[in-house]
Amino acid sequence: QVQLVESGGGLVQAGGSLRLSCAASGRTSSNYAMGWFRQAPGKEREFVAGISRTGSSIYYSNSVKGRFTISRDSAKNTLALQMNSLKPEDTAAYYCAASSHYIPTGIYDYDYWGQGTQVTVSS
């Protein structure tokens, strides 16, 4: 079992930055690939960024590539998402997730989820 708790969300103006954090407890997070997802009202949850167990492989959705950076600190059991050049369309609840799959290929490959943190970007 892995427990995930996100923090760092808030209200920011377009063009601003936020840094989300995810603290993992329970089994060592280095046993899991990790990812960030988001869900806007009335929309399906979508993939934002993912990172492998060792951090050697990183993936981004096209909508955030070049603006967001995912990172992990396995010693501290934490996951981060640095979000720069935020846009109103980035407004959503952001979720941290852990996958026992070596290379998760979709949302259903993630086994554990946090409760989410809200990000609101004003225009």
Side-chain angles (χ1 to χ4, degrees):
Q1 285 278 5
V2 176
Q3 293 78 42
L4 303 171
V5 179
E6 303 95 336
S7 62
L11 174 64
V12 64
Q13 288 188 333
S17 298
L18 279 175
R19 183 176 178 86
L20 305 184
S21 295
C22 175
S25 60
R27 291 193 65 186
T28 305
S29 64
S30 60
N31 292 328
Y32 298 88
M34 303 291 292
W36 287 99
F37 289 76
R38 67 187 182 187
Q39 187 167 19
K43 295 188 176 181
E44 293 186 353
R45 191 167 297 189
E46 64 174 2
F47 172 80
V48 174
I51 188 167
S52 63
R53 296 178 184 183
T54 62
S56 60
S57 297
I58 289 176
Y59 313 90
Y60 296 100
S61 68
N62 289 335
S63 61
V64 307
K65 196 174 296 182
R67 300 188 297 122
F68 290 11
T69 302
I70 188 172
S71 61
R72 69 186 301 165
D73 185 334
S74 295
K76 296 181 179 179
N77 268 357
T78 58
L79 179 73
L81 185 68
Q82 177 66 42
M83 306 186 295
N84 299 329
S85 302
L86 283 162
K87 305 175 181 180
E89 51 263 44
D90 294 319
T91 294
Y94 282 71
Y95 298 88
C96 168
S99 172
S100 58
H101 289 71
Y102 186 73
I103 301 178
T105 58
I107 189 171
Y108 297 108
D109 285 345
Y110 286 82
D111 308 289
Y112 303 101
W113 293 84
Q115 293 299 306
T117 186
Q118 179 66 35
V119 172
T120 302
V121 184
S122 63
S123 57

